[in-house]
Amino acid sequence: MYKSTRGKSKEINSSEAMIKGIADDKGLYVPNEIPKIKEALETICSFTYKELATYILKHYLNDFNTEELNTCITAAYENKFEHKDIAPLVKKGDAYFLELYHGPTAAFKDMALCLFPHLLKTSLEKNEVNNEVVILTATSGDTGKAALEGFANIPGTKIIVFFPENGTSNIQKLQMTTQEGSNTFVIGLNGNFDDAQSGVKSIFNDSQFNNKLLENKYILSSANSINIGRFLPQIIYYFYAYGQLVKNKEISVGEKINVVVPTGNFGNILSAYYAKEMGLPINKFICASNENNILYDFLTTGIYDRRRNLKVTSSPSMDILISSNLERLLYHLSDNDSNLISSLMDELSEIGKYEISENLKDKLVDFYGGFATEEATAKTIKYVYDKYDYLIDPHTAVAYHVYENYKQYSNDTTKTIIASTASPYKFPTDVCKSLDISIDSDDFNTINNLFSISSMNIPSNIKALKNKNIIHNNNCEVNEMKSLIKDFLKVGE
Ligand SMILES: *Cc1c(COP(=O)(O)O)cnc(C)c1O
């Protein structure tokens, strides 16, 4: 069963938690207890991705049976990924890049968003919900497209995505504005990602607006990693990566590994923490930020202070000041102290800052925070290319830079997985600039320039973008979000 981190909502099943997205007390749903694996680690290491998906999710989706799970998992991972391994692990030097970007939108969000719509559809059937679910999502670039792709033409759902008009890469924007499917709606917001995220959160919390939608047989839900349907499937690939290390005889069963995660909303790294709590031998969680280094500050001082300006960087999916899923981690580390979490989160929303106790800070020992400047990010892309003939995108470069710093600081030689979260072809201009390759005003020419020096294929979904028409040409201010939603859903005053 699932309960809220803020302790004032009743316990519900996994299917209900996926439908609701966020709890009524504004907290995030967490399992009563993080389950432990009972199977021997050695056995799990030999599972295929899909077998592992069923195995892991069975521990969490308390009201799904195996057949339902298998149906969802097959629909999600069969034929949708361009690599047969789904999430291949690639060794370069002493690092292992876990390539999470072989799905339909070339970023790691696909790992969960291929599956989540199917889990949600099953949840709706289970709970005999006849209302249409409206997925409302704020995106810093990648979630939006992955959610659109996952939900397009799924019966019983509509999807609305707000992205920061000038906060994404051109390719990311084009991926969203060309989205097909009559149940999709995409809007550029005049503001940054935090404006979009706060706007969406306040709509979720507006009971009058929600009642209005309900009268019209709509219920709102979310595809951000605040939804358990989004972050639980991300646990799978940490186990999978570990299994590949064992299979390739890089480690022995039971040996600890480190993970480096380029972090924004703290969803991906939180999934790694869940994997460890379930029994996966993880030593350090290395949390990598870009110049929006609020998490680095937090992990080094215990003070979370969002009173600063958001910077637009070459790793836009990490341009975030409010890392929502940190709330879940603090909840677990404080032994489920929902009163504490409520008051910290109230402080964050009222004064923009909170500080945790020394005692709680001590419990963060397994988390190491680091960050990369824009200059370091560009240098890292070039370094990895020159040294290994391997292209990485700016998000992955942030992670690699922090990994190098960590090694120097710690002398830790534990085998380390780098979560490689996006295809370099999604950010061709920044990658080419880093490599001193000529860039063109037409991104597709830039992509070809990049391809000409690389042994890496261009994802077919990015190639196909060139010939797509722009379908969504909407733009709005923060205070217009609600009225646009009403227009799209044809809900009157
Ligand atoms: C979303 C995203 C991230 C950040 O992941 P979180 O789960 O939000 O921390 C990093 N890199 C890429 C490419 C992303 O799309």
Side-chain angles (χ1 to χ4, degrees):
M1 299 292 281
Y2 288 77
K3 58 187 174 184
S4 163
T5 47
R6 303 198 191 172
K8 292 180 197 71
S9 295
K10 70 172 183 14
E11 283 188 10
I12 55 178
N13 285 316
S14 63
S15 64
E16 296 168 286
M18 281 190 272
I19 294 169
K20 281 189 74 77
I22 193 162
D24 290 333
D25 62 4
K26 302 184 193 171
L28 306 186
Y29 283 111
V30 282
N32 263 340
E33 212 177 315
I34 300 179
K36 303 259 185 252
I37 53 169
K38 290 183 197 79
E39 207 79 32
L41 195 53
E42 192 164 8
T43 313
I44 298 171
C45 285
S46 66
F47 285 180
T48 64
Y49 198 91
K50 277 183 271 174
E51 286 167 346
L52 205 48
T54 307
Y55 179 75
I56 298 292
L57 293 177
K58 256 197 326 213
H59 289 78
Y60 288 98
L61 303 184
N62 65 315
D63 56 342
F64 280 62
N65 62 38
T66 307
E67 193 190 327
E68 287 167 332
L69 260 180
N70 281 338
T71 307
C72 292
I73 285 165
T74 303
Y77 298 116
E78 214 152 85
N79 308 322
K80 288 228 177 129
F81 286 74
E82 285 193 354
H83 196 289
K84 65 171 180 16
D85 293 344
I86 298 178
L89 192 67
V90 177
K91 184 177 184 184
K92 298 288 169 192
D94 64 358
Y96 301 85
F97 290 88
L98 178 61
E99 294 183 353
L100 300 172
Y101 54 74
H102 294 285
T105 77
F108 100 94
K109 305 290 194 294
D110 290 327
M111 301 305 299
L113 279 166
C114 273
L115 177 60
F116 175 53
H118 300 285
L119 297 176
L120 184 63
K121 191 167 156 274
T122 312
S123 300
L124 294 171
E125 288 159 7
K126 256 181 206 309
N127 291 280
E128 296 176 8
V129 175
N130 296 316
N131 294 342
E132 202 164 2
V133 172
V134 179
I135 300 293
L136 180 60
T137 289
T139 183
S140 54
D142 288 331
T143 295
K145 176 60 184 180
L148 286 162
E149 196 62 38
F151 280 100
N153 299 320
I154 296 258
T157 72
K158 284 194 164 51
I159 169 150
I160 303 176
V161 170
F162 288 95
F163 69 90
E165 183 69 49
N166 298 311
T168 69
S169 83
N170 290 338
I171 294 287
Q172 286 178 313
K173 186 168 170 177
L174 205 55
Q175 281 185 315
M176 290 187 275
T177 54
T178 56
Q179 178 66 47
E180 290 157 22
S182 57
N183 65 338
T184 67
F185 188 42
V186 178
I187 308 113
L189 187 77
N190 297 331
N192 60 34
F193 171 67
D194 280 320
D195 297 325
Q197 174 152 273
S198 322
V200 162
K201 271 193 184 160
S202 81
I203 292 171
F204 277 113
N205 292 329
D206 180 338
S207 51
Q208 209 184 341
F209 186 74
N210 280 271
N211 286 337
K212 184 89 213 164
L213 294 187
L214 209 53
E215 283 168 27
N216 289 273
K217 300 226 170 299
Y218 289 119
I219 47 172
L220 286 183
S221 192
S222 134
N224 287 73
S225 51
I226 53 176
N227 196 309
I228 61 157
R230 250 301 293 286
F231 88 88
L232 295 176
Q234 297 172 175
I235 301 168
I236 303 161
Y237 50 73
Y238 288 105
F239 277 91
Y240 186 66
Y242 192 91
Q244 292 188 77
L245 285 174
V246 170
K247 240 185 256 173
N248 300 338
K249 304 212 165 28
E250 302 286 342
I251 59 169
S252 51
V253 181
E255 188 175 331
K256 283 193 173 178
I257 59 166
N258 292 334
V259 296
V260 190
V261 186
T263 298
N265 222 1
F266 213 77
N268 198 358
I269 197 165
L270 180 82
S271 306
Y273 170 79
Y274 269 62
K276 177 173 184 171
E277 290 301 297
M278 291 182 80
L280 192 69
I282 296 180
N283 174 40
K284 287 279 178 200
F285 304 96
I286 300 168
C287 175
S289 302
N290 64 22
E291 287 182 4
N292 296 296
N293 56 2
I294 191 162
L295 286 168
Y296 163 77
D297 289 346
F298 173 70
L299 290 171
T300 45
T301 64
I303 298 172
Y304 196 94
D305 189 347
R306 69 167 169 88
R307 298 171 302 177
R308 57 179 91 191
N309 291 326
L310 190 89
K311 296 181 187 163
V312 174
T313 72
S314 57
S315 45
S317 299
M318 296 152 72
D319 292 345
I320 291 178
L321 293 181
I322 301 174
S323 297
S324 306
N325 281 294
L326 186 59
E327 175 169 348
R328 285 189 166 112
L329 179 68
L330 295 177
Y331 174 83
H332 293 302
L333 293 180
S334 67
D335 297 322
N336 308 353
D337 188 345
S338 54
N339 289 331
L340 172 72
I341 300 303
S342 289
S343 69
L344 293 179
M345 295 305 139
D346 285 346
E347 281 174 52
L348 184 63
S349 74
E350 281 153 27
I351 57 172
K353 175 188 158 190
Y354 64 78
E355 178 167 9
I356 58 171
S357 67
E358 276 305 314
N359 184 22
L360 188 50
K361 200 174 159 228
D362 289 345
K363 295 193 175 160
L364 283 164
V365 281
D366 292 340
F367 285 79
Y368 170 88
F371 72 98
T373 61
E374 285 293 274
E375 196 191 341
T377 306
K379 277 192 177 151
T380 302
I381 292 173
K382 183 156 170 54
Y383 172 83
V384 171
Y385 175 73
D386 289 345
K387 191 152 181 184
Y388 304 114
D389 192 19
Y390 185 60
L391 283 183
I392 56 174
D393 94 292
H395 302 78
T396 309
V398 166
Y400 193 82
H401 173 80
V402 171
Y403 168 58
E404 291 279 312
N405 280 356
Y406 169 76
K407 272 193 301 187
Q408 277 196 349
Y409 149 91
S410 66
N411 291 320
D412 182 0
T413 55
T414 305
K415 301 272 167 52
T416 300
I417 286 173
I418 309 225
S420 186
T421 49
S423 162
Y425 290 110
K426 224 172 162 172
F427 303 93
T429 304
D430 285 300
V431 174
C432 282
K433 269 190 201 157
S434 312
L435 299 174
D436 291 325
I437 295 169
S438 62
I439 50 177
D440 194 284
S441 56
D442 180 341
D443 269 9
F444 294 99
N445 292 335
T446 310
I447 285 174
N448 286 332
N449 295 346
L450 193 56
F451 179 62
S452 70
I453 58 105
S454 146
S455 50
M456 202 181 258
N457 286 330
I458 305 170
S460 56
N461 58 72
I462 289 185
K463 265 194 210 159
L465 271 184
K466 192 175 162 67
N467 300 316
K468 291 211 164 154
N469 295 324
I470 301 223
I471 295 172
H472 305 273
N473 215 340
N474 310 296
N475 178 272
C476 82
E477 304 296 330
V478 174
N479 63 11
E480 295 169 330
M481 292 168 75
K482 275 184 211 163
S483 68
L484 255 79
I485 295 172
K486 280 189 188 163
D487 287 349
F488 173 61
L489 299 177
K490 301 193 173 64
V491 170
E493 279 311 311

